[in-house]
């Protein structure tokens, strides 16, 4: 009987906590990457958009980079499951299970899924001196230069590294990977001609494309983009590389065991944030597309990540390159 009363008391306490959430306390979003990068910018935009639907509380960003995002994600997995510590991560949630062999958490069971936030397209770009003027000519150049092509990336586990792995797999052509400590030095060397190709997020490449400092050949989305700068670039699929699609999506997570009423409050707040006109405008300025489909629901989000894990695992294993 005492045990039953104790359990009832705990249940009442949880309900009371859920009703009070967020109770004037700040909510922290952990970003498992360095400040100033694309994911950090998305997180800061989202924090502002979430503030009002969460009752006006402060939403602060905690940057915890390292090990392909696994350090920051592990911090959230271990956090008190009360709704005050959340995780914003990108496609790394689908690649970490394979990319980090000793990952200290399980993506599919140690988190509560709250919804996908956006999709960021990737662009295939090249050094300005590369002779190909369109994607058809680029494929011919790649065929003629097998074994001599340098493919840059922003580091193991980065968006550009993953896109490069998939591109090589789809092209059935091995290229020499050249990892950098971030996108900025990779693009600098691409402009200078030290590397040949780079596949990276439009949030990083658009300024260089607009300034004509690099050559742009294609986007990795299912359909052409509508932004004026990139609307004339073909998709890799229509250019002949069938079913090649890569977008760097971002999703919001809570620690496993967060009370259902708290999760609902955060999920409802996220849906309102994704309709916020200022948030949409800011994301469009980054070249990102705010999510509106079934993935904004927790269950749709979880199913999507499971499918992405199945997609990326064999590609990473075939490459044999790991972040630990």
């Amino acid at each position: 009987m005492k045990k039953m009363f104790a359990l009832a008391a705990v249940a009442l306490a949880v309900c009371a906590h859920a009703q009070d959430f967020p109770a004037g306390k700040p909510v922290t979003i952990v970003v498992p990457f360095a400040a100033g990068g694309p994911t950090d910018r998305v997180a800061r935009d989202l924090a502002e958009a979430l503030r009002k639907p969460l009752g006006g509380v402060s939403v602060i960003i905690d940057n915890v980079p390292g090990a392909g995002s696994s350090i920051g994600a592990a911090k959230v997995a271990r956090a008190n499951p009360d709704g005050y510590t959340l995780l914003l991560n990108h496609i790394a949630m689908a690649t970490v299970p394979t990319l980090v062999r000793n990952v200290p958490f399980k993506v599919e069971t140690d988190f509560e899924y709250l919804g996908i936030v956006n999709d960021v397209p990737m662009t295939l770009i090249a050094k300005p001196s590369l002779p190909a003027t369109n994607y058809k000519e680029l494929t011919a150049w790649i065929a003629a230069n097998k074994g001599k092509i340098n493919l840059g990336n922003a580091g193991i586990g980065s968006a550009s590294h993953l896109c490069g792995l998939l591109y090589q797999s789809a092209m059935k052509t091995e290229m020499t990977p050249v990892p950098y400590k971030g996108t900025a030095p990779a693009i600098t060397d691409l402009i200078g001609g030290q590397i040949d190709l780079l596949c990276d997020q439009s949030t990083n490449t658009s300024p260089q494309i607009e300034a004509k400092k690099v050559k742009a050949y294609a986007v990795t989305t299912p359909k052409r983009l509508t932004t004026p700068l990139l609307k004339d670039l073909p998709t890799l699929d229509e250019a002949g590389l069938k079913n090649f699609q890569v977008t760097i999506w971002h999703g919001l997570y809570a620690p496993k065991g967060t009370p259902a009423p708290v999760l609902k409050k955060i999920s409802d707040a996220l849906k309102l944030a994704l309709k916020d006109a200022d948030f949409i405008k800011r994301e469009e300025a980054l070249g990102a597309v705010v999510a509106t489909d079934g993935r904004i629901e927790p269950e749709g989000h979880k199913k999507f990540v499971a499918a992405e894990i199945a997609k990326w695992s064999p590609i990473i294993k075939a490459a044999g390159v790991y972040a630990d």
Side-chain angles (χ1 to χ4, degrees):
M1 185 65 71
K2 288 182 179 180
K3 186 175 182 180
M4 289 177 63
F5 279 123
L7 290 172
V10 170
L12 286 172
V14 169
C15 289
H17 169 80
Q19 289 174 353
D20 291 342
F21 180 84
K25 291 172 58 178
V27 173
T28 296
I29 297 178
V30 173
V31 175
F33 301 99
T39 300
D40 179 68
R41 282 181 281 177
V42 172
R44 292 178 190 277
D45 288 347
L46 182 64
E48 180 60 28
L50 281 171
R51 188 171 58 82
K52 185 177 179 180
L54 284 177
V57 299
S58 297
V59 182
I60 59 179
I61 303 301
D62 180 18
N63 295 96
V64 187
S69 86
S70 64
I71 295 176
K75 180 176 181 178
V76 176
R78 296 191 302 265
N80 188 13
D82 55 9
Y84 291 98
T85 303
L86 307 176
L87 171 71
L88 184 82
N89 202 356
H90 65 20
I91 195 172
M93 286 298 273
T95 59
V96 156
T98 308
L99 197 62
V100 179
R101 288 166 293 187
N102 296 309
V103 64
F105 54 82
K106 293 184 178 179
V107 168
E108 293 180 279
T109 58
D110 288 349
F111 297 92
E112 305 287 356
Y113 289 66
L114 294 164
I116 291 292
V117 175
N118 68 10
D119 293 286
V120 181
M122 305 288 282
T123 47
L124 182 62
I125 60 176
K127 61 184 180 182
S129 61
L130 201 144
T133 60
N134 54 47
Y135 186 72
K136 183 177 180 180
E137 292 180 5
L138 177 65
T139 58
W141 180 85
I142 290 173
N145 288 274
K146 284 186 176 182
K148 298 184 290 183
I149 300 170
N150 293 321
L151 178 64
N153 66 64
I156 294 175
S158 66
S160 52
H161 174 232
L162 297 170
C163 186
L165 288 179
L166 189 61
Y167 186 64
Q168 290 180 82
S169 176
M171 291 289 289
K172 296 180 174 58
T173 301
E174 287 191 16
M175 303 177 190
T176 303
V178 183
Y180 291 84
K181 292 182 178 180
T183 298
I187 289 183
T188 296
D189 272 9
L190 185 73
I191 293 170
Q194 280 76 43
I195 55 175
D196 301 309
L197 298 173
L198 178 70
C199 182
D200 207 354
Q201 300 175 69
S202 60
T203 48
N204 294 324
T205 62
S206 290
Q208 314 306 328
I209 294 171
E210 186 172 26
K212 301 187 185 305
K213 292 183 178 180
V214 298
K215 286 188 172 181
Y217 292 101
V219 294
T220 63
T221 47
K223 297 179 181 179
R224 288 198 183 203
L225 302 177
T226 57
T227 54
L229 177 64
L230 304 175
K231 66 181 179 62
D232 292 328
L233 289 180
T235 69
L236 281 170
D237 184 87
E238 73 175 276
L241 205 56
K242 295 302 179 184
N243 300 315
F244 189 100
Q245 297 176 18
V246 182
T247 55
I248 303 305
W249 43 268
H250 293 86
L252 192 65
Y253 308 81
K256 186 69 176 178
T258 303
V262 173
L263 292 173
K264 187 176 187 311
K265 285 190 176 184
I266 301 170
S267 180
D268 289 346
L270 176 61
K271 290 172 191 171
L272 289 173
L274 297 182
K275 294 179 181 178
D276 182 273
D278 287 338
F279 177 71
I280 293 171
K281 185 176 180 180
R282 288 172 181 167
E283 294 308 285
E284 287 176 345
L286 293 175
V289 179
V290 175
T292 59
D293 58 17
R295 297 173 303 156
I296 67 173
E297 298 289 346
E299 190 58 35
H301 179 190
K302 189 169 186 177
K303 287 181 179 178
F304 174 70
V305 173
E308 287 284 278
I309 291 172
K311 170 183 174 179
W312 285 103
S313 178
I315 294 167
I316 294 168
K317 286 179 179 177
V321 179
Y322 302 95
D324 61 349

